[in-house]
Amino acid sequence: MVITSLDNEKVKYYSKLAKKKYRDLTGEFIVEGMHLVLEAYKTKSLLEVLILEDEAIPIDVPCYEVTYEVLKKICDVNTPPKVVGLCKKKIDSTIGKRILIIDEVQDPGNLGTIIRSAVAFDIDTIVIGNNTTDPYSPKVIRATQGMIFHTTLVFYDIERLIPILKKLHIPILATNVKYGEELSTLSKKEKETFALIIGNEGSGVNPKYLEKSDKFIYIPMNEVVESLNVGVATSIILFEMRKDND
């Protein structure tokens, strides 16, 4: 049976998940499009799918056929894809040895790029600090290209986390152009275990976290460019932190 009504309870539920408060309340979120649905399925995060009537998808989860109008109501994009998936959040509080701490990054595209690069360069824990944009929003998920399903996200107050990292003897690094050491000078040991703090697009890392950092690092650039986009800068840093770990 095809779901046609926009007032259907399932349609209403999916629509509510466009808002962060409902994603937080339920521990569930939606993904749009075949690629993201399949990435969720690979990691057993996919609960069910809504699919355009007369279409098919080769996965073993509950599938419900819906009309184009239903997909248009649910989806974040103007031209909806043929399939939407309902996913569960991966709840984890484990702290690894290669940690990325995200401090108040606001742009969904930036956060998605950072998450994607973190997976590519073997970060085992991504800490989402207070006031960082929601990683489960549709725009962030699209920017991750599904890599959000292949990493561990931990939501933590950074001020409370830093003393824990100190007790675990995990060095805390932060980006600081004025007083930092050139990224390429870091030793292999320094690249094996660390907690790297990445700051807000406009203001950088919060000064109170800089004070508690063990080392500042920076990316050397020519004088023409004053700064890099935070997503680009983080990707460069994580690549450099990965280079000597094979």
Side-chain angles (χ1 to χ4, degrees):
M1 180 174 134
V2 179
I3 298 174
T4 60
S5 173
L6 301 184
D7 291 323
N8 178 277
E9 289 304 313
K10 191 175 288 294
V11 176
K12 286 182 179 179
Y13 181 72
Y14 275 63
S15 298
K16 283 182 177 180
L17 293 177
K19 296 181 179 179
K20 181 181 183 299
K21 67 177 181 179
Y22 288 109
R23 296 194 292 265
D24 290 344
L25 183 66
T26 62
E28 295 177 351
F29 62 102
I30 62 172
V31 296
E32 304 171 7
M34 186 67 74
H35 173 69
L36 293 176
V37 165
L38 291 177
E39 288 298 324
Y41 183 67
K42 287 178 191 175
T43 58
K44 296 181 169 46
S45 300
L46 188 65
L47 300 174
E48 65 180 37
V49 297
L50 301 187
I51 191 165
L52 185 64
E53 54 188 320
D54 299 325
E55 296 288 335
I57 185 170
I59 55 177
D60 184 23
V61 297
C63 296
Y64 302 89
E65 288 189 90
V66 299
T67 62
Y68 179 83
E69 287 71 26
V70 166
L71 288 174
K72 193 169 179 63
K73 177 178 175 60
I74 291 169
C75 290
D76 181 62
V77 292
N78 291 328
T79 303
K82 295 179 180 179
V83 62
V84 171
L86 178 67
C87 304
K88 61 183 176 182
K89 292 183 180 181
K90 182 180 176 182
I91 306 300
D92 202 330
S93 58
T94 306
I95 299 292
K97 290 186 176 181
R98 292 170 53 81
I99 304 161
L100 180 64
I101 302 172
I102 302 175
D103 173 30
E104 297 194 28
V105 169
Q106 296 296 301
D107 182 80
N110 286 338
L111 181 57
T113 296
I114 289 168
I115 291 172
R116 190 177 181 187
S117 295
V119 175
F121 301 123
D122 298 331
I123 293 297
D124 53 35
T125 307
I126 301 175
V127 176
I128 306 295
N130 296 341
N131 301 318
T132 292
T133 194
D134 183 18
Y136 293 105
S137 73
K139 288 183 175 67
V140 175
I141 292 169
R142 284 198 298 273
T144 73
Q145 285 291 301
M147 292 305 101
I148 194 169
F149 297 110
H150 297 273
T151 190
T152 298
L153 299 183
V154 176
F155 293 80
Y156 221 108
D157 181 285
I158 298 173
E159 200 156 9
R160 291 178 54 220
L161 177 63
I162 287 176
I164 296 173
L165 296 174
K166 296 283 189 183
K167 286 183 180 179
L168 293 172
H169 303 291
I170 296 176
I172 299 170
L173 309 179
T175 52
N176 188 310
V177 174
K178 191 172 182 180
Y179 301 107
E181 294 185 21
E182 191 172 319
L183 187 56
S184 61
T185 65
L186 294 179
S187 68
K188 181 176 180 179
K189 183 178 181 181
E190 288 176 306
K191 296 178 182 181
E192 288 175 346
T193 302
F194 60 84
L196 170 65
I197 306 176
I198 296 297
N200 175 267
E201 289 90 342
S203 55
V205 177
N206 190 311
K208 65 183 178 182
Y209 306 145
L210 288 176
E211 290 177 4
K212 298 174 183 177
S213 298
D214 297 301
K215 180 174 283 193
F216 299 148
I217 58 174
Y218 78 98
I219 302 169
M221 298 181 291
N222 63 41
E223 296 177 358
V224 177
V225 180
E226 184 178 331
S227 64
L228 294 173
N229 167 280
V230 68
V232 172
T234 304
S235 299
I236 292 170
I237 292 169
L238 296 184
F239 168 72
E240 192 69 36
M241 300 295 279
R242 173 69 177 82
K243 278 173 61 175
D244 298 324
N245 285 339
D246 291 325

